[in-house]
Amino acid sequence: MCRLFALTTGGPRVQGSHWLLDSLFSFSEQSRKQPDGTGFGWFSLGDEPVRDRSPIGAFKNEDFAEAAGQVVSHTIVSHVRYGTTGEVDVHNCHPFDIHDRLFAHNGCIRGVDTIDSWLTDVDRAHVEGATDSETAFAFISAEILRVGDTTEGIISAVRRMAAEIPIFSLNFVLAEPRRLWALRYPANCELWVLSPDGGGFGSRRRGARPLDQRADASWVADGDEEIPAWVVASERLDADPDWRLLDPGELLVIADGKAVSQYPFGPPAHHLTLDDLRGVEVSADFRDEDL
């Protein structure tokens, strides 16, 4: 299946290279089973979202390695893709950017035509690719704009999708400058969080590790400084025992240096199971050892 990653310090600008390139179960290594695209998103000094996306696996993408090792931001979102809908194309690579927010999704939903029917022409104009993920994000963005609050807009959108379309997994991260929302919904796919108190951090001054040194555990960057951060990922990125699995239906809101969990969702009205999925969807959402 696809993999999500997000990090936020709430203030200081850091790099995510430890988790993306260097950790025991790094994002780059995970991409060997998710080869259909890589995306890296962050916020500029002016707090504008910036993205570097490519339909190439992260493990062989030098641009991804360079961005992960060089870019600094208070909030970072990354994604490696195993496509279920939409071609292997840069426009179908996450994260997506609508209304200055970054969004990445892991899972499978159906009823994209139904979601599209809820969008206005203005809402639809933001969609560049052909994925279920981006269409869902367009609807979430429209609800945030309609309601006037990000958390309440997410809740409104997810409740409607849960009531009206078939859902296997709607796990996602959504980022604004210094703020992050993470949803695990329902229980089919995992989503983990590591708190600053439990070992989550970003690196202040790490330089990009040369490609031929990335597997060398003895390599240490000069001037490295660890800054506390919240880290969210589809699977644990190291052996730290403080990784916490989000509960099914848990919406984690990280803002002002604090994380608050909400549980505003009931089960999906049309809950897809493995038996409901077509072959390509099964292969994309689970590794061989999960079946």
Side-chain angles (χ1 to χ4, degrees):
M1 59 180 166
C2 301
R3 294 292 190 272
L4 303 174
F5 169 86
L7 175 153
T8 186
T9 68
R13 291 182 176 273
V14 297
Q15 294 162 338
S17 56
H18 170 77
W19 306 106
L20 297 172
L21 304 177
D22 303 333
S23 59
L24 184 61
F25 310 114
S26 75
F27 217 52
S28 180
E29 283 302 307
Q30 292 176 29
S31 75
R32 293 181 184 275
K33 293 185 178 181
Q34 291 81 37
D36 294 336
T38 304
F40 185 83
W42 69 96
F43 292 90
S44 70
L45 291 175
D47 279 345
E48 296 176 346
V50 185
R51 295 174 296 161
D52 186 352
R53 301 182 295 166
S54 176
I56 303 172
F59 69 95
K60 58 182 177 181
N61 189 335
E62 294 188 19
D63 288 341
F64 173 78
E66 182 175 359
Q70 298 284 358
V71 169
V72 293
S73 182
H74 44 62
T75 308
I76 294 169
V77 174
S78 192
H79 185 273
V80 290
R81 181 175 185 250
Y82 191 140
T84 56
T85 60
E87 298 179 354
V88 178
D89 178 87
V90 66
H91 296 298
N92 293 327
C93 293
H94 311 214
F96 304 108
D97 170 14
I98 299 178
H99 298 319
D100 293 334
R101 297 181 181 92
L102 295 172
F103 176 93
H105 167 229
N106 172 31
C108 173
I109 61 175
R110 293 181 180 167
V112 174
D113 290 344
T114 298
I115 301 174
D116 183 74
S117 72
W118 303 337
L119 304 177
T120 67
D121 289 342
V122 174
D123 301 329
R124 200 174 291 113
H126 295 286
V127 178
E128 300 175 339
T131 64
D132 54 347
S133 306
E134 191 176 18
T135 302
F137 180 36
F139 177 58
I140 292 169
S141 298
E143 285 297 279
I144 292 171
L145 188 63
R146 183 184 68 83
V147 173
D149 179 83
T150 301
T151 301
E152 293 304 316
I154 289 171
I155 292 171
S156 174
V158 172
R159 280 177 172 168
R160 185 169 185 184
M161 287 189 282
E164 300 191 35
I165 66 167
I167 294 176
F168 180 77
S169 176
L170 190 56
N171 286 12
F172 66 75
V173 290
L174 184 151
E176 295 177 354
R178 301 174 186 83
R179 301 204 295 172
L180 188 67
W181 289 257
L183 174 67
R184 182 187 179 203
Y185 186 75
N188 288 331
C189 295
E190 296 182 346
L191 193 59
W192 296 81
V193 61
L194 186 62
S195 73
D197 293 335
F201 72 93
S203 176
R204 175 84 82 176
R205 291 190 294 270
R206 178 182 289 276
R209 172 182 291 201
L211 292 176
D212 60 355
Q213 292 181 330
R214 201 175 303 151
D216 180 4
S218 67
W219 187 91
V220 178
D222 292 334
D224 223 10
E225 180 185 357
E226 294 181 3
I227 303 298
W230 293 90
V231 182
V232 177
S234 295
E235 61 181 273
R236 290 168 288 187
L237 300 173
D238 64 14
D240 192 318
D242 290 319
W243 284 97
R244 180 179 72 84
L245 180 63
L246 268 64
D247 295 325
E250 180 177 355
L251 176 63
L252 185 70
V253 182
I254 304 171
D256 301 321
K258 299 178 181 179
V260 177
S261 293
Q262 299 188 28
Y263 300 86
F265 310 114
H270 311 282
H271 188 178
L272 297 175
T273 67
L274 280 177
D275 291 338
D276 299 317
L277 299 184
R278 295 183 291 272
V280 65
E281 293 168 334
V282 170
S283 65
D285 279 283
F286 285 90
R287 298 162 292 174
D288 292 341
E289 59 264 34
D290 293 322
L291 293 175

